[in-house]
Amino acid sequence: MNLYYEEKGKGSLLLLIHGFPFDHRMWDDLRELLSETFRVVTPDLRGMGKSPLQESQNVVTMAELADDLAELLDRLGVGKCTFCGLSMGGYVGWEFWQRHSGYLEKLIFCDTNAAADTPEGAAQRYATAQRVESEKSVAFLADGMAGKLLAPRTLTEKPWVVERYRRMVEENSPQGVAAVARGMAQRHDFRSKLREVACPTLVLTGDSDVLSPPADMLALAESLPDGRFVEIPHAGHLTPMENPHAVAEAIRHFMQ
């Protein structure tokens, strides 16, 4: 799969994987901050941003997305990386760890979890996919998700972040968003495997994240053999957009 990606900097490779329904642009601030020290690569996952779906594909699994990223690393000639995934990017991260652990030096999980969807949650994903396809638009997601993804302080004090958020969602491909939504509904539960994650792992979340609350993320970190936890102030679910300097500092400290 020929993924679109952007990269900047030299040094140890940091692979930043976006959430749903976004693209590589959610990492723009972080790429600028960290490329002074690291080689930062920000791809668009299959069906999202500028990376196409395969013809007539209506489901994209988290395992397929993980395999795409291993293929990208091979194209880049990279043997080892630090993998950082936010929200859905974290779901891809668990599959990447299970399927391609030989590439991993370290793992970073931002505002995510290791569980599968509940039956109710999966049903909502399928309903979202169907609506996106029937309306041929992702705009309703931008309206419906803002209050869950962005901290109240971001919504009131950082209009430029809200505008970037809306633009990314609304410009995404309805077909790609629908296919990836179905893939998230089918994802595996990794909670029983957490003690097997041998590499150093950073777990971080926003202090105002209602989808991945700090208490839940701390419990996730404590379930890992070499887990560390950082709470990002003044941020909701989209920490690298809402407080990029704090996220960059946490990652820089972890990687060095």
Side-chain angles (χ1 to χ4, degrees), residues 29-30 33-34 108 110 158 202 204-207 230-235 239-254:
D29 292 337
L30 209 64
L33 291 167
L34 290 173
I108 304 172
C110 305
K158 298 180 179 179
L202 174 64
L204 60 82
T205 194
D207 62 354
V230 175
E231 183 174 316
I232 303 299
H234 314 308
T239 48
M241 294 178 64
E242 298 179 79
N243 194 346
H245 287 276
V247 174
E249 179 58 30
I251 291 177
R252 191 179 293 112
H253 179 75
F254 173 65

Side-chain angles (χ1 to χ4, degrees), residues 45-203:
L45 295 173
R46 185 192 303 198
M48 314 289 279
K50 297 180 181 180
S51 292
L53 280 178
Q54 291 184 333
E55 189 174 353
S56 72
Q57 186 174 22
N58 64 2
V59 180
V60 178
T61 67
M62 301 300 99
E64 287 175 303
L65 296 177
D67 292 348
D68 289 345
L69 294 171
E71 183 180 324
L72 173 61
L73 292 177
D74 287 341
R75 284 171 50 205
L76 294 172
V78 174
K80 292 284 187 178
C81 74
T82 293
F83 183 108
C84 174
L86 181 140
S87 195
M88 181 188 72
Y91 307 155
V92 178
W94 297 117
E95 289 286 354
F96 192 88
W97 162 76
Q98 179 168 264
R99 301 167 71 86
H100 305 288
S101 61
Y103 290 98
L104 289 174
E105 285 187 350
K106 296 182 178 182
L107 273 167
I108 304 172
F109 290 103
C110 305
D111 306 86
T112 189
N113 65 75
D117 271 346
T118 63
E120 296 78 15
Q124 183 59 48
R125 305 262 196 212
Y126 288 119
T128 295
Q130 184 173 10
R131 182 176 174 185
V132 165
E133 288 179 333
S134 64
E135 295 186 8
K136 297 181 173 58
S137 171
V138 193
F140 73 91
L141 283 177
D143 295 327
M145 296 171 65
K148 294 180 180 179
L149 297 180
L150 298 169
R153 180 169 175 170
T154 302
L155 291 168
T156 58
E157 298 181 11
K158 298 180 179 179
W160 63 93
V161 174
V162 180
E163 173 58 28
R164 287 174 59 200
Y165 153 80
R166 293 189 64 88
R167 192 183 317 122
M168 272 194 297
V169 176
E170 292 174 356
E171 291 177 356
N172 241 321
S173 157
Q175 294 80 11
V177 167
V180 171
R182 294 187 183 101
M184 285 193 291
Q186 299 174 16
R187 72 182 187 275
H188 299 126
D189 193 316
F190 281 88
R191 289 174 294 179
S192 66
K193 300 182 179 181
L194 295 178
R195 301 306 302 175
E196 301 173 22
V197 179
C199 61
T201 306
L202 174 64
V203 175

